[in-house]
């Protein structure tokens, strides 16, 4: 095994869960590519990582754009090294009840979550199979089990679970594992936006959520980062095709 630090790409890493995961993987000793739509926003996270002693590259990329993905992954190989760890975290919400949901809202969510994860994985898996080592982590959600007002998001997150299990079957013989994390309520800009949309103060929103969670608190990005850190580690090589709900209690 090479002593060279592994290169990890984390998508949707300019904020929230993605930023937390990027910072944790950098702390674990990986070279991290902070990838999101806005490279300037990525640079803020990358700079924090570098100031903490880590190695990070900021990369602006629309994960749903095939040409952009190919160009960005090629840049990563050239500037940082071949990526053998990929965390597909990029995502958006366009919530509405089914009778109000537009086709554009449906397709936008599918494009980022499903098309984006497919394109990023297809581009990176070549480097993983060549190295004989790879770790893919896809961010699903407890919403994959169904959630009012999220037919698009729920369908995309459920789709990622099937995607993950099939990757595990196809890539396992090459030393590549694929797993999914299904976060519960995590305090991010996305959940703050949800609270604002329904007109509830965020403190009240989190308190109501915590009351329904067995551990009696809501999650932080760090909770997801800890789980991702394990799944991409050398020691997790016998864990593949799994969906791990990180939600403060059991989920079916």
């Amino acid at each position: 095994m090479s002593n060279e630090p592994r290169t990890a790409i984390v998508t949707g890493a300019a904020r929230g869960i993605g930023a937390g995961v990027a910072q944790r993987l950098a702390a674990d000793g990986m070279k991290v590519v902070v990838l999101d739509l806005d490279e300037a926003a990525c640079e803020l996270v990358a700079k924090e990582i570098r100031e903490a002693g880590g190695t990070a590259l900021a990369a602006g990329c629309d994960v749903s754009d095939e040409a952009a993905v190919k160009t960005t992954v090629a840049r990563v190989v050239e500037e940082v090294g071949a990526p053998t760890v990929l965390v597909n975290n990029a995502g958006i919400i366009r919530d509405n009840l089914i009778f109000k949901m537009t086709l554009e809202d449906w397709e936008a969510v599918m494009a980022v979550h499903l098309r984006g994860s497919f394109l990023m994985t297809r581009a990176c898996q070549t480097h993983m199979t060549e190295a004989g080592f790879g770790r893919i982590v896809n961010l699903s959600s407890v919403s994959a089990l169904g959630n009012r007002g999220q037919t698009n998001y729920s369908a995309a997150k459920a789709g990622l679970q099937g995607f993950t299990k099939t990757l595990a079957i196809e890539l396992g013989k090459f030393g590549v594992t694929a797993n999914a994390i299904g976060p519960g309520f995590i305090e991010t800009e996305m959940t703050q936006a949800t609270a604002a949309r329904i007109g509830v103060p965020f403190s009240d929103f989190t308190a109501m959520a915590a009351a329904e969670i067995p551990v009696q608190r809501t999650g932080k990005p760090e909770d997801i980062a800890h789980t991702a850190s394990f799944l991409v580690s050398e020691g997790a090589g016998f864990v593949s095709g799994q969906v791990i709900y990180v939600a403060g209690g059991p989920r079916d």
Side-chain angles (χ1 to χ4, degrees):
M1 187 185 79
S2 171
N3 291 324
E4 178 72 13
R6 299 200 183 279
T7 297
I9 297 177
V10 183
T11 73
R15 60 190 59 82
I17 289 173
V21 171
Q23 289 164 334
R24 175 57 191 265
L25 298 190
D28 289 345
M30 295 184 184
K31 297 182 289 185
V32 176
V33 178
V34 180
L35 188 151
D36 213 311
L37 271 175
D38 182 358
E39 187 160 323
C42 293
E43 178 56 32
L44 296 175
V45 177
K47 182 180 179 183
E48 288 182 4
I49 290 172
R50 291 193 295 268
E51 288 176 345
T55 301
L57 170 71
C61 178
D62 177 355
V63 296
S64 69
D65 183 323
E66 183 177 19
V69 167
K70 288 181 178 178
T71 299
T72 301
V73 172
R75 176 190 171 197
V76 169
V77 173
E78 179 69 23
E79 298 185 22
V80 188
T84 55
V85 174
L86 172 65
V87 180
N88 285 309
N89 169 72
I92 60 172
I93 54 172
R94 296 289 186 271
D95 295 351
N96 226 324
L97 297 174
I98 185 65
F99 74 96
K100 294 181 180 179
M101 186 172 290
T102 66
L103 179 60
E104 290 75 18
D105 286 343
W106 174 272
E107 292 186 338
V109 169
M110 294 298 160
V112 178
H113 293 273
L114 288 176
R115 179 183 171 96
S117 295
F118 162 71
L119 290 173
M120 287 298 305
T121 301
R122 189 181 64 177
C124 292
Q125 59 83 32
T126 300
H127 303 290
M128 297 177 184
T129 56
E130 287 176 353
F133 175 94
R135 297 285 187 265
I136 301 165
V137 175
N138 298 315
L139 268 292
S140 181
S141 168
V142 296
S143 292
L145 303 172
N147 195 35
R148 178 180 173 85
Q150 290 193 316
T151 50
N152 49 6
Y153 187 78
S154 296
K157 291 305 194 182
L160 280 173
Q161 295 187 13
F163 177 66
T164 299
K165 291 176 182 292
T166 303
L167 289 177
I169 293 168
E170 292 187 8
L171 299 177
K173 65 181 178 181
F174 301 107
V176 180
T177 67
N179 293 285
I181 299 174
F185 190 110
I186 307 296
E187 294 180 23
T188 64
E189 290 182 14
M190 188 177 286
T191 47
Q192 289 175 356
T194 300
R197 179 174 57 82
I198 63 177
V200 176
F202 191 58
S203 58
D204 293 345
F205 194 52
T206 55
M208 289 186 292
E212 301 297 322
I213 298 171
V215 300
Q216 294 290 285
R217 71 170 178 88
T218 50
K220 309 284 188 183
E222 292 78 18
D223 293 308
I224 307 305
H226 283 303
T227 307
S229 174
F230 164 69
L231 290 174
V232 305
S233 69
E234 298 277 349
F238 205 53
V239 181
S240 195
Q242 302 305 304
V243 178
I244 302 175
Y245 289 109
V246 182
R251 295 286 175 149
D252 295 329

